Structure formats: C-alpha cells, structure tokens
Amino acid sequence: MRTFNRFLAASVSAAALMGALATATPAMADEKKEAKKDMTGKELAFDRGKGNCLSCHMIAGGDQPGTIAPPLVAMKARYPDRAALYNVIWDPRSKFGPGTIMPPIGAHGILSKDEVEKVVDFVHSL
C-alpha cells in the first residue's frame, strides 16, 4: 500500500509538472526578459531574481533588508573610485577573496555588464 501511495503521489506530481511545462512557451520567457530589460539600477538591486542586494544589505527604501553585509550608505565616500565599486559588484572575490559570501553577479552571468553598470550607478548614489 505504501509503495502504491508513493507511486500515485509521484504520478500526480509528474502530471502537474508536465501540464505546467506544456502551457509555458518560449514566447512567455522572451516577454519576461523584455520586461526586465529596461529595469533601473534600483529595481535590479531590489529584485529578488536579479541583483538581490537586499537579501544581505540594508538599503534605504528597501523592504525586508538583510543584516549579513554592511548597510549601503555613504558609498561615494567608501568608494570614491567608481571603477573599484564596479569591480566589487562584478566579482567581489577580487577584493574580499574566494571565501566571500557575496555572489559574483557579473562574473557568473547573473547580471549583464549593462545591468551591473546600472546597479553601480544606483549604489554609488547612496
């Protein structure tokens, strides 16, 4: 009986997954990409699926900020050289070493160069 219940649960889950995949089309994925294409640096930084800076940092105007990393305040004073800030956001391992928990959002392709530029513009303005 137990084996049958597991089989039934797995079958129902598989059927639900197949149904969801059947309704999703490549055009839907393209529409989502297009919607994200014109995001501002703030939107990218706050977006949980893109920059996700709020998961670790406190940023003015952000809801449910993280407390793992330092608050993003006085960034022009902390990073007078904008290129240094870009490098840290692109790949923080260059400054903090391979053990850093900050993800290399540019180096790993989470954000494009253009998107990282937008995030740097936003963060540098804080």
Side-chain angles (χ1 to χ4, degrees), residues 100-111:
T100 184
I101 61 170
M102 184 172 168
I105 61 176
H108 282 182
I110 299 166
L111 297 180

Side-chain angles (χ1 to χ4, degrees), residues 4-102:
F4 177 74
N5 287 343
R6 286 185 187 161
F7 174 75
L8 182 61
S11 298
V12 169
S13 296
L17 177 61
M18 294 304 287
L21 292 174
T23 60
T25 64
M28 289 176 150
D30 289 342
E31 287 174 17
K32 288 182 181 179
K33 279 186 180 177
E34 289 298 318
K36 302 269 186 194
K37 192 176 188 180
D38 297 320
M39 293 175 77
T40 67
K42 181 177 181 178
E43 291 168 336
L44 289 164
F46 285 13
D47 188 286
R48 300 282 181 195
K50 292 296 259 173
N52 201 17
C53 302
L54 281 173
S55 67
C56 297
H57 296 279
M58 187 281 302
I59 304 172
D63 294 334
Q64 300 178 334
T67 58
I68 293 171
L72 299 183
V73 294
M75 295 307 291
K76 283 183 186 174
R78 291 167 59 190
Y79 286 92
D81 178 15
R82 189 184 170 288
L85 179 60
Y86 178 92
N87 290 335
V88 167
I89 293 174
W90 180 263
D91 189 349
R93 298 170 298 183
S94 63
K95 179 173 182 170
F96 304 121
T100 184
I101 61 170
M102 184 172 168

